[in-house]
Amino acid sequence: MARNKYPEETINQILTVSLNLFMEKGYERTSIQDIINGLGGLTKGAIYHHFKSKEEIMQAVTERLYQGLDEMLTSIRDDKSLTGIEKLRKIFWVSLNNPSQLEMVSTAPSLMDNPRMLVGQMRSITEESVPKYIQPIVEQGLADGSIKTDYPKELSEVLMLMGNLWLNPLVFSDTAEGALNKCRFLQELSLKLGLDLLDDQMIERFVHLFRIYNEKA
């Protein structure tokens, strides 16, 4: 059987089909049978040989989408040539230009219609991104003087939740003008918090993502 001779190829096939279905139909409306039907001859046993559940498939799909992101965030966090605020700006910029981000915005359905995917993203932000990368960078900024706050954890959470959810067209859809207003507000808010975070190039990129999402709709 192919799944015995070429397990990696089988896993890639399962993840590719699953990703396409999750984006087309949404996670909640995609069944294991839908995945089987898209696999061209692979059986349910072949799927369960590699994945115990649809949820485990979703986790693997997400990990593959953002493959390499951990290494990128780690390299920025540990870059001794940058100040804390410079690291935050770089993370925002690299994240906005991640090819996976563009792919998701271009093809994925609203996360409001896919609560499991939305919760997974929120959990990833609060349980992984903030404690492993963003809060340590904010604390580095406190030490080097480029960031000023009495609440590094809370500031880290707010920045990530606003950037990844409030300014995400897959969560809160909006017009290009509305997206621009949100970005300007976040820029004004961050300046009042002592963070010169968003520049015009980043704002333009955020608005571009909203335009792409609206064209798809």
Side-chain angles (χ1 to χ4, degrees):
M1 296 290 288
R3 67 185 176 93
N4 293 324
K5 288 183 178 180
Y6 310 106
E8 186 174 341
E9 182 179 320
T10 303
I11 290 171
N12 285 335
Q13 188 180 359
I14 292 169
L15 295 182
T16 298
V17 168
S18 299
L19 173 61
N20 291 336
L21 285 168
F22 293 158
M23 288 184 168
E24 177 186 344
K25 301 180 64 173
Y27 173 85
E28 304 292 344
R29 289 188 289 273
T30 298
S31 66
I32 289 291
Q33 189 60 50
D34 290 330
I35 297 172
I36 293 168
N37 293 342
L39 284 171
L42 285 181
T43 64
K44 184 179 290 189
I47 292 180
Y48 283 116
H49 177 76
H50 298 288
F51 301 100
K52 296 177 183 178
S53 63
K54 187 176 73 167
E55 188 172 74
E56 196 170 290
I57 294 175
M58 182 67 225
Q59 182 178 351
V61 164
T62 303
E63 288 173 357
R64 190 170 78 161
L65 265 178
Y66 293 100
Q67 190 173 15
L69 189 60
D70 281 349
E71 290 83 354
M72 180 271 292
L73 292 174
T74 299
S75 68
I76 295 174
R77 182 196 63 196
D78 298 340
D79 187 345
K80 297 186 184 303
S81 69
L82 300 175
T83 65
I85 189 61
E86 288 171 340
K87 291 178 182 184
L88 284 183
R89 289 194 202 110
K90 188 171 183 178
I91 282 178
F92 262 71
W93 180 245
V94 171
S95 299
L96 281 168
N97 288 277
N98 188 327
S100 296
Q101 183 87 330
L102 184 59
E103 182 180 357
M104 290 288 285
V105 170
S106 301
T107 58
S110 169
L111 290 179
M112 288 294 196
D113 298 326
N114 293 275
R116 188 69 64 88
M117 295 175 71
L118 178 57
V119 169
Q121 185 162 347
M122 292 175 66
R123 182 173 289 126
S124 175
I125 290 169
T126 57
E127 296 181 4
E128 295 180 29
S129 297
V130 167
K132 286 176 65 177
Y133 306 110
I134 306 305
Q135 187 175 340
I137 287 174
V138 169
E139 289 171 350
Q140 290 169 17
L142 289 173
D144 64 37
S146 64
I147 295 174
K148 294 178 175 60
T149 181
D150 293 327
Y151 309 99
K153 178 177 183 291
E154 291 74 17
L155 175 62
S156 302
E157 290 175 346
V158 166
L159 289 176
M160 289 299 289
L161 289 170
M162 292 185 79
N164 288 280
L165 298 178
W166 192 58
L167 279 173
N168 185 343
L170 295 176
V171 182
F172 294 105
S173 61
D174 208 334
T175 63
E177 182 181 1
L180 178 59
N181 288 338
K182 286 181 175 181
C183 288
R184 292 299 184 198
F185 171 77
L186 180 56
Q187 184 181 46
E188 180 180 314
L189 178 63
S190 61
L191 285 172
K192 288 181 178 179
L193 293 173
L195 296 172
D196 186 8
L197 183 59
L198 293 184
D199 59 25
D200 289 342
Q201 197 173 17
M202 288 185 202
I203 290 174
E204 183 180 330
R205 184 62 177 171
F206 269 117
V207 174
H208 178 63
L209 292 176
F210 274 84
R211 285 199 180 100
I212 290 174
Y213 182 80
N214 289 334
E215 287 171 3
K216 176 191 71 174

